[in-house]
Amino acid sequence: MSAKTKVTIHDIAEKLNITASTVSRALNDNPRISDATKKAVLKTAKQLNYQPNNIAAALRNGKSFIIGVIVPTADRYFFASVVRGIEEIANNLNYKVIICQSYDIYEKEVQTIEALLNARVDGIIASISKNTENFDHFKKVQSKGIPLVLFDRTTDELEVSQVMIDDYLGAYKSVEHLIQQGCKRIAHFTSTKKVSVFKERLRGYTDALRDYEIPFDEQLVVRSNLQLEDGRESMETLLKLKTMPDAVFSSSDYAAMGAMQVLKERNIRIPEQVALAGFSNEPFTSFTDPTLTTVDQRSIKMGNITAELFFEHFKSGDKAFVPQKTVLKPELIIRNSTLRKG
Amino acid sequence: MSAKTKVTIHDIAEKLNITASTVSRALNDNPRISDATKKAVLKTAKQLNYQPNNIAAALRNGKSFIIGVIVPTADRYFFASVVRGIEEIANNLNYKVIICQSYDIYEKEVQTIEALLNARVDGIIASISKNTENFDHFKKVQSKGIPLVLFDRTTDELEVSQVMIDDYLGAYKSVEHLIQQGCKRIAHFTSTKKVSVFKERLRGYTDALRDYEIPFDEQLVVRSNLQLEDGRESMETLLKLKTMPDAVFSSSDYAAMGAMQVLKERNIRIPEQVALAGFSNEPFTSFTDPTLTTVDQRSIKMGNITAELFFEHFKSGDKAFVPQKTVLKPELIIRNSTLRKG
DNA sequence: AAAGGTTGCGCAATCGTTTGCATTTTATAA
DNA sequence: TTATAAAATGCAAACGATTGCGCAACCTTT
């Protein structure tokens, strides 16, 4: 059809014997343009198969209507849901969201930030990579006056708005639940101390033990990267102890799953001999046998709130915006892996 | 620090008493610029905290170095992996990938295409939404001379390059395997006939039955949206038949999982009474009990190939590029849900 | 020493939209 | 009818980077 792939507002203007200014205003529904002209412009635009060029507009406006979202990985239910929650709000306000994955690699995170900056996104929402210990790239974003909001994986080294769940509470409730089920020797799978979510969950774990007067045993805290395989290894480690634990509270559903596999292979009954609780409420947790007790992180809600916070920040025009910290209450999902009947 | 958030090549030029042209060339490592000047420019750029503006460059070049990828949803392992495979290739060639989700909603898909077109992406890679029956928006992309490649969920209504797995073969092998395990009454969960992948899998199913001289029974083919809940309902439906099936080949792992739940609730033994096979090799399929036999779709590989095909298309400059169709061989992953011992 | 080649850089137009400030046209009031 | 306000549109300069062409200055060759 239209071989000429470059129809601009000038072409429309020419055809209508008006100027590009008028066409631009007409397309943007500017009140200063008569309805008749608007109609004509719209019609001609359609007819010429006109395609707006956001790049030109963005250049002129210094505004791209795009916000960049950086997540460690998009294939985890939690992150995917948060993104969905963000999109809901953003799309409503006519903003587009571009999703970027850091794959939990620090260098990639830095590169991604740089790319987003170059692309002149209007703002950035991110969940920090697990391996990030230097935050200069985020500081750079802020120093350029670009709105930045962090969610879930945040840090205190940045003066930035953040949204997270109360990991401490989620952990505390999990462990409390395990104790109420009669568990007395509760192990914990965790990861690096650098990431606050893991630190908080560990704190919830220890505090619950303390409150219920269960002695803390260093040996029962196993650190790893919390993937499935790590969970398997961690469980093996625990099983080698002189006294086996009677419960595991894992900071990750995947690691909990690994533990479940090992236990089943050894015919150790869940939850009778060892109760098992995870964290995140990944969809598969309701598919396992037994179904896995876990903590729901209110992901969609978190996305909504993050986006709302972002746009608040946005409107306040960067001037004197006080970073805000929102903490959501998690929900303990009790399933069969911890429910000792009778 | 730098309050002036708008450092351009002109600022660099001014400070160095040269012109913006030279700065531009220096930054792009143009051989016509002396090394001394390049060094100086780089240094000053760093010093002034210069941030390249891709928008301006894109406007001038008519090239954004961004390719849009549209997937139904990013939280499915298969799609996430394909995206990863695409990114691997694209990033290597200095292209950025922006991920968009259609959420399997036709209107959203159309909007997304429009947004990508407006954003002047250099090309689009997509997997069609389940509910799309009109392909005008894709035709529009092509008519504008923008490279388009489809993967997995494709259509014959478009003259376009596409990459998919041999769904027919995957289905055939699954059903053949079930037959070899002694199943004689094999049901099939499928979805709309509009989507070729489901059509092909259905064909593989019927052909395998035919080749092994097992009568085809219309009642055993259950259509749904293939989510978990759909799988449950479909299984319930099957159980109401006068003669129960002794196997189910599901076009989706989720639906297979739903069926598994129902069967377990009714204490029907898997695979002895009913064998179960899914499709896609979602990670959770190895977490279920019994583990679920399924078909791996070579997702990363598919992403790689899709991207390579895309860039071929790209280089050939749109002129006389013959759409290419690549079909990958799927791999049958045999697990316990179909393995009848002895 | 003159002709031709290199090297290094500047000029100015261009990409497509937007917008402040005219300017023209039309409607209203005196 | 004329001054005046209101309405509709035009002019031209941005936004920031790129690039074809041109022009010095310097080097080589015979």
Side-chain angles (χ1 to χ4, degrees):
Chain A
M1 308 272 168
S2 68
K4 202 183 167 201
T5 174
K6 345 191 85 198
V7 180
T8 75
I9 53 173
H10 292 99
D11 299 316
I12 301 179
E14 193 175 0
K15 183 146 191 181
L16 255 40
N17 254 326
I18 55 181
T19 62
S21 331
T22 304
V23 175
S24 171
R25 294 196 174 97
L27 290 174
N28 289 312
D29 203 26
N30 186 308
R32 279 165 42 183
I33 302 298
S34 72
D35 285 348
T37 306
K38 284 182 188 171
K39 287 256 195 312
V41 167
L42 255 359
K43 186 177 163 195
T44 312
K46 200 123 300 178
Q47 186 180 318
L48 293 182
N49 201 11
Y50 167 72
Q51 185 88 36
N53 187 328
N54 282 171
I55 300 229
L59 177 59
R60 167 67 217 231
N61 294 330
K63 209 165 173 336
S64 60
F65 279 95
I66 294 178
I67 77 186
V69 175
I70 307 177
V71 291
T73 157
D75 69 350
R76 290 261 301 279
Y77 173 77
F78 171 69
F79 290 116
S81 304
V82 175
V83 169
R84 188 179 289 232
I86 293 172
E87 276 192 329
E88 281 176 6
I89 307 290
N91 289 346
N92 252 7
L93 293 165
N94 250 306
Y95 276 77
K96 269 85 204 164
V97 166
I98 99 176
I99 310 169
C100 306
Q101 309 185 63
S102 68
Y103 295 115
D104 263 327
I105 299 167
Y106 166 72
E107 289 75 16
K108 189 112 169 83
E109 184 176 277
V110 175
Q111 285 167 20
T112 303
I113 293 263
E114 197 64 18
L116 290 176
L117 249 25
N118 290 349
R120 291 295 193 273
V121 294
D122 291 343
I124 294 179
I125 294 178
S127 196
I128 302 177
S129 155
K130 216 182 283 182
N131 300 308
T132 298
E133 301 184 1
N134 176 308
F135 303 96
D136 287 350
H137 49 310
F138 287 114
K139 285 183 186 148
K140 183 172 180 184
V141 172
Q142 296 187 293
S143 81
K144 292 198 181 291
I146 297 186
L148 172 69
V149 176
L150 261 27
F151 71 89
D152 193 52
R153 306 250 204 96
T154 68
T155 175
D156 289 332
E157 296 196 29
L158 254 27
E159 281 230 356
V160 67
S161 283
Q162 39 192 265
V163 181
M164 33 197 192
I165 62 148
D166 192 335
D167 286 284
Y168 172 86
L169 182 63
Y172 191 99
K173 280 162 98 175
S174 295
V175 175
E176 186 174 47
H177 163 68
L178 289 169
I179 295 171
Q180 285 164 352
Q181 292 295 309
C183 302
K184 305 222 174 299
R185 196 166 155 69
I186 303 170
H188 179 42
F189 290 173
T190 185
S191 179
T192 165
K193 300 181 193 187
K194 303 274 186 180
V195 181
S196 66
V197 300
F198 300 123
K199 215 162 49 183
E200 284 301 289
R201 292 175 199 170
L202 175 58
R203 202 164 63 80
Y205 163 77
T206 55
D207 278 12
L209 292 185
R210 185 203 56 207
D211 291 355
Y212 285 87
E213 296 172 350
I214 295 185
F216 173 81
D217 182 348
E218 184 68 55
Q219 289 186 311
L220 294 180
V221 175
V222 190
R223 286 188 194 281
S224 75
N225 211 25
L226 296 178
Q227 301 303 301
L228 181 93
E229 202 49 47
D230 303 307
R232 294 187 60 100
E233 286 171 17
S234 301
M235 194 67 232
E236 306 268 16
T237 306
L238 289 176
L239 291 179
K240 282 188 196 118
L241 295 179
K242 47 225 153 298
T243 325
M244 205 169 87
D246 59 3
V248 175
F249 163 56
S250 166
S251 239
S252 141
D253 284 331
Y254 286 93
M257 186 59 215
M260 184 183 290
Q261 290 182 345
V262 169
L263 292 171
K264 286 170 80 171
E265 282 161 21
R266 309 208 173 190
N267 290 316
I268 297 175
R269 275 167 295 123
I270 308 170
E272 292 78 6
Q273 291 175 273
V274 176
L276 217 48
F279 211 106
S280 287
N281 197 18
E282 288 286 335
F284 75 78
T285 55
S286 62
F287 298 166
T288 58
D289 189 3
T291 52
L292 186 65
T293 291
T294 185
V295 176
D296 186 82
Q297 297 175 280
R298 324 282 314 282
S299 40
I300 299 251
K301 182 92 181 170
M302 187 179 289
N304 290 338
I305 293 188
T306 303
E308 280 161 4
L309 193 54
F310 174 86
F311 284 111
E312 260 181 54
H313 189 158
F314 205 75
K315 274 180 227 149
S316 83
D318 178 51
K319 53 185 176 241
F321 180 83
V322 185
Q324 236 172 284
K325 196 167 180 170
T326 304
V327 179
L328 300 180
K329 296 271 168 267
E331 186 187 359
L332 178 63
I333 313 277
I334 299 174
R335 299 211 185 89
N336 293 333
S337 67
T338 60
L339 263 192
R340 299 184 173 181
K341 298 76 167 166
Chain B
M1 310 271 167
S2 68
K4 202 184 171 204
T5 176
K6 345 189 86 197
V7 180
T8 74
I9 53 173
H10 292 98
D11 299 315
I12 300 180
E14 194 173 0
K15 182 146 191 183
L16 255 38
N17 256 325
I18 54 180
T19 62
S21 330
T22 304
V23 174
S24 172
R25 292 196 174 98
L27 290 174
N28 289 313
D29 203 25
N30 186 308
R32 279 166 40 181
I33 302 299
S34 72
D35 285 348
T37 306
K38 283 181 187 171
K39 288 256 193 314
V41 167
L42 254 359
K43 187 177 161 194
T44 311
K46 200 124 299 176
Q47 186 180 319
L48 293 182
N49 202 10
Y50 167 71
Q51 186 89 37
N53 187 328
N54 284 171
I55 301 227
L59 176 59
R60 167 64 217 234
N61 296 330
K63 210 164 172 340
S64 60
F65 279 94
I66 293 178
I67 77 186
V69 174
I70 307 176
V71 291
T73 157
D75 70 349
R76 290 260 301 278
Y77 173 77
F78 170 70
F79 290 117
S81 304
V82 174
V83 169
R84 189 179 289 234
I86 292 173
E87 276 192 331
E88 282 176 7
I89 306 291
N91 289 345
N92 252 7
L93 293 165
N94 250 307
Y95 276 77
K96 269 84 206 166
V97 165
I98 99 174
I99 310 168
C100 305
Q101 310 185 63
S102 68
Y103 296 113
D104 265 327
I105 299 165
Y106 166 73
E107 288 75 16
K108 189 112 169 85
E109 185 176 276
V110 174
Q111 286 167 19
T112 302
I113 293 263
E114 197 64 18
L116 290 176
L117 249 24
N118 289 348
R120 291 295 193 272
V121 295
D122 290 343
I124 294 178
I125 294 178
S127 194
I128 302 176
S129 155
K130 215 181 284 183
N131 300 308
T132 299
E133 301 184 1
N134 176 309
F135 302 95
D136 287 350
H137 47 311
F138 287 114
K139 285 183 186 149
K140 183 171 180 185
V141 172
Q142 297 188 292
S143 82
K144 291 197 182 292
I146 296 186
L148 173 69
V149 176
L150 261 30
F151 72 88
D152 194 52
R153 306 251 204 94
T154 68
T155 175
D156 289 333
E157 297 198 26
L158 254 26
E159 282 230 354
V160 68
S161 283
Q162 40 191 265
V163 180
M164 33 195 193
I165 61 148
D166 191 334
D167 287 284
Y168 172 86
L169 182 63
Y172 190 99
K173 280 162 98 175
S174 296
V175 175
E176 186 174 45
H177 163 69
L178 289 169
I179 295 172
Q180 284 163 351
Q181 292 294 311
C183 302
K184 307 221 172 299
R185 197 164 155 71
I186 302 169
H188 180 43
F189 291 173
T190 185
S191 179
T192 166
K193 300 182 194 187
K194 302 274 184 180
V195 182
S196 65
V197 301
F198 300 123
K199 216 163 46 185
E200 284 301 291
R201 293 175 197 170
L202 175 58
R203 202 164 63 81
Y205 163 77
T206 54
D207 278 12
L209 292 184
R210 184 203 57 208
D211 290 355
Y212 285 86
E213 295 172 351
I214 295 185
F216 173 81
D217 183 347
E218 183 68 55
Q219 288 186 310
L220 294 180
V221 175
V222 190
R223 286 188 193 280
S224 75
N225 210 25
L226 296 178
Q227 301 303 300
L228 180 94
E229 202 48 48
D230 302 307
R232 292 188 61 100
E233 286 170 19
S234 301
M235 194 68 232
E236 307 268 15
T237 307
L238 288 176
L239 291 179
K240 283 187 195 119
L241 295 179
K242 47 226 155 298
T243 325
M244 203 169 88
D246 59 3
V248 175
F249 163 56
S250 167
S251 239
S252 140
D253 284 331
Y254 286 92
M257 186 61 216
M260 185 183 290
Q261 290 181 345
V262 169
L263 292 172
K264 285 170 79 170
E265 282 161 19
R266 309 208 174 189
N267 291 316
I268 298 176
R269 276 168 296 125
I270 307 171
E272 292 77 8
Q273 289 177 274
V274 176
L276 215 50
F279 212 106
S280 286
N281 196 18
E282 288 285 336
F284 75 78
T285 54
S286 62
F287 298 166
T288 57
D289 189 4
T291 52
L292 186 65
T293 290
T294 185
V295 176
D296 186 82
Q297 296 174 281
R298 323 283 315 281
S299 39
I300 299 250
K301 181 93 183 171
M302 186 179 289
N304 289 337
I305 292 188
T306 304
E308 279 160 6
L309 193 53
F310 174 85
F311 284 110
E312 261 181 55
H313 188 157
F314 206 74
K315 275 179 226 149
S316 83
D318 179 50
K319 54 186 175 236
F321 180 83
V322 185
Q324 236 172 285
K325 196 168 180 171
T326 303
V327 180
L328 299 180
K329 296 273 167 266
E331 185 187 359
L332 178 63
I333 312 277
I334 299 175
R335 298 211 185 90
N336 293 332
S337 67
T338 60
L339 264 191
R340 299 184 172 179
K341 300 63 165 173

